[in-house]
């Protein structure tokens, strides 16, 4: 029966759908009732996991790992190396750089003490890639200047072995690590493949769904009652504790919830939809990268603005495909305001 849709997968889908339905893009006016229903859906799966051991947070990664107890539903891909051909950094055999994470994402990962990364803080900048000073999830998500990958040091500084001005080098200062199978070889004389497991639902998302919905419903990070015996803060802290992070701070709690989703679920297909259902396009338009210059034996890091992605309100939703309008002339007449 492995690979089939389970009751847990259906409950996880219900949790996500009701969370979306309660969000500003779809709900319109604030509806406590919708947020409560979303929280209940997530809590039902949390209760099953706690009482019957359905799912749990685990230390190992859930991606590319079918045995993970955190995995609820996944897309499976047979042995291949197509993703690695696209994603390995330039300069590695067969690499084409692929998706290059932005500085915006890297900035979202907190310092290990729970404070927000701040470019105006010299101590933060000097520890930008220090595993003891940053959220551990950063180092599972991106390859940065100084990373070790396939027994070689990744150099993304200007003039480095994997940096500009090499053709095809990362324009952001980063390469993707999450989902990449480092063990795969693209050497023409010794090419290998591996099995990929793409996460659709995992238990960490359900906890974050619950935290967001319950906080939106009652506005209290520590709210509990007979139904909701787990507070929003306690739900988030389960995820953070697994990553070795301290409890979530109380300041601007909703923004902390949203940031937690951004870093925990990075590259799992959530940020695109989350930024739209929250209607936060104005805060996501400016794109930044890191520029690293080597001066003598020192590396100088600077955050550089590179682009502005202009978005309008109509882009929060997909347009109706033209082929669908052609199938139904009546629909087309309605949309253009004709009787």
């Amino acid at each position: 029966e492995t690979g089939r849709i389970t009751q847990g997968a259906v409950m996880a889908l219900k949790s996500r759908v009701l969370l979306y339905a309660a969000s500003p893009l779809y709900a319109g006016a604030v509806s406590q009732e919708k947020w409560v229903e979303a929280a209940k859906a997530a809590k039902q799966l949390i209760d099953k996991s706690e009482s019957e051991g359905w799912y749990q947070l685990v230390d190992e990664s859930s991606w590319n790992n079918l045995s993970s107890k955190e995995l609820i539903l996944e897309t499976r891909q047979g042995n291949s190396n197509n993703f690695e051909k696209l994603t390995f950094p330039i300069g590695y055999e067969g690499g084409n750089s692929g998706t290059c994470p932005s500085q915006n994402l890297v900035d979202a990962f907190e310092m290990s003490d729970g404070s927000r990364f701040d470019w105006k803080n010299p101590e933060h900048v000097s520890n930008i890639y220090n595993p003891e000073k940053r959220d551990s999830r950063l180092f599972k998500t991106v390859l940065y200047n100084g990373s070790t990958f396939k027994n070689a040091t990744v150099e993304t500084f200007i003039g480095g072995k994997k940096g500009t001005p090499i053709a095809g080098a990362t324009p952001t200062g980063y390469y993707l690590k999450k989902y990449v199978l480092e063990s795969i070889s693209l050497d023409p004389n010794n090419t290998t493949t591996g099995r990929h497991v793409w996460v659709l639902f995992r238990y960490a998302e359900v906890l974050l769904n619950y935290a967001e919905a319950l906080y939106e419903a009652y506005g209290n990070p520590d709210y509990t009652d007979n139904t909701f015996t787990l507070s929003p803060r306690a739900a988030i802290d389960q995820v953070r504790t697994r990553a070795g992070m301290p409890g979530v701070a109380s300041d601007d709690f909703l923004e902390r919830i949203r940031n937690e989703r951004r870093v925990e679920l990075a590259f799992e297909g959530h940020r695109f939809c989350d930024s739209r259902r929250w209607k936060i396009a104005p805060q996501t338009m400016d794109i930044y990268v890191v520029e690293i210059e080597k001066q003598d034996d020192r590396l100088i890091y600077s955050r550089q603005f590179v682009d502005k992605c202009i978005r309008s309100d109509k882009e929060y939703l997909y347009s109706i495909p033209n082929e669908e309008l052609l199938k139904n002339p009546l629909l087309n007449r309605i949309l253009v305001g004709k009787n």
Side-chain angles (χ1 to χ4, degrees):
E1 299 298 324
T2 180
R4 295 181 181 274
I5 300 296
T6 62
Q7 184 179 357
V10 173
M11 293 171 73
L13 175 61
K14 181 180 179 180
S15 166
R16 188 186 297 179
V17 168
L18 290 180
L19 183 77
Y20 279 35
S23 300
L25 180 61
Y26 304 105
V30 176
S31 171
Q32 184 187 48
E33 181 181 357
K34 289 183 178 181
W35 285 119
V36 168
E37 289 304 307
K40 285 181 179 178
K43 188 61 162 60
Q44 288 173 352
L45 186 48
I46 292 171
D47 288 343
K48 283 288 188 180
S49 297
E50 291 182 347
S51 63
E52 300 181 30
W54 280 17
Y55 309 105
Q56 64 186 56
L57 297 176
V58 292
D59 290 334
E60 72 271 12
S61 299
S62 297
W63 48 94
N64 296 333
N65 182 5
L66 276 176
S67 65
S68 172
K69 283 287 291 181
E70 187 174 337
L71 199 59
I72 298 175
L73 185 65
E74 71 289 333
T75 297
R76 305 179 183 190
Q77 182 181 17
N79 287 351
S80 68
N81 56 25
N82 293 332
F83 185 67
E84 284 65 33
K85 287 179 180 177
L86 293 171
T87 311
F88 273 7
I90 206 75
Y92 286 93
E93 187 74 51
N96 287 287
S97 296
T99 298
C100 296
S102 68
Q103 187 61 47
N104 304 59
L105 174 62
V106 173
D107 288 348
F109 289 87
E110 298 173 357
M111 304 302 290
S112 58
D113 62 3
S115 61
R116 300 183 187 188
F117 181 82
D118 184 1
W119 278 95
K120 297 179 181 178
N121 187 324
E123 183 178 355
H124 287 191
V125 176
S126 65
N127 287 289
I128 186 170
Y129 306 133
N130 184 342
E132 296 182 0
K133 297 292 185 177
R134 295 295 301 272
D135 186 333
S136 64
R137 292 171 289 190
L138 170 62
F139 307 101
K140 296 179 180 180
T141 305
V142 306
L143 291 174
Y144 55 93
N145 186 70
S147 293
T148 299
F149 185 72
K150 299 186 77 65
N151 300 316
T153 301
V154 177
E155 297 180 353
T156 62
F157 58 83
I158 298 173
K161 295 179 181 178
K162 307 295 184 289
T164 57
I166 297 174
T170 172
T172 67
Y174 302 99
Y175 294 101
L176 181 62
K177 182 175 184 179
K178 193 169 183 177
Y179 281 119
V180 174
L181 293 176
E182 184 177 352
S183 60
I184 283 180
S185 170
L186 298 179
D187 185 334
N189 297 315
N190 183 35
T191 303
T192 61
T193 60
R195 188 176 192 179
H196 295 80
V197 177
W198 313 100
V199 175
L200 296 178
F201 296 96
R202 61 184 175 97
Y203 189 52
E205 181 205 340
V206 177
L207 287 166
L208 295 175
N209 291 351
Y210 174 79
E212 179 183 344
L214 191 59
Y215 179 76
E216 288 276 23
Y218 296 103
N220 181 356
D222 301 303
Y223 180 86
T224 59
D225 60 23
N226 291 335
T227 300
F228 302 115
T229 54
L230 182 70
S231 72
R233 187 193 305 277
I236 289 181
D237 283 352
Q238 286 188 33
V239 179
R240 291 173 63 86
T241 298
R242 185 264 297 275
M245 294 294 289
V248 65
S250 296
D251 64 302
D252 199 357
F253 195 77
L254 180 59
E255 176 56 34
R256 292 282 186 167
I257 291 174
R258 293 177 174 182
N259 195 71
E260 195 65 24
R261 289 182 68 89
R262 185 177 191 180
V263 299
E264 174 65 29
L265 306 175
F267 297 103
E268 294 180 35
H270 291 273
R271 181 65 179 176
F272 180 91
C273 296
D274 283 348
S275 63
R276 284 159 176 76
R277 68 182 178 87
W278 295 328
K279 300 184 73 173
I280 60 169
Q283 296 101 279
T284 64
M285 292 184 184
D286 293 348
I287 308 301
Y288 289 87
V289 302
V290 67
E291 186 175 276
I292 310 172
E293 294 185 81
K294 192 170 188 179
Q295 298 180 1
D296 299 324
D297 293 328
R298 296 176 60 236
L299 293 175
I300 308 299
Y301 298 88
S302 61
R303 186 175 187 252
Q304 300 290 332
F305 170 82
V306 293
D307 198 8
K308 179 180 284 288
C309 297
I310 303 299
R311 299 186 177 96
S312 61
D313 286 352
K314 68 180 181 181
E315 293 177 85
Y316 280 127
L317 296 171
Y318 284 122
S319 59
I320 298 176
N322 191 53
E323 63 182 22
E324 297 301 323
L325 298 179
L326 293 174
K327 291 176 184 177
N328 187 348
L330 293 178
L331 178 60
N332 194 34
R333 292 173 65 87
I334 292 171
L335 290 175
V336 297
K338 296 179 180 180
N339 293 326

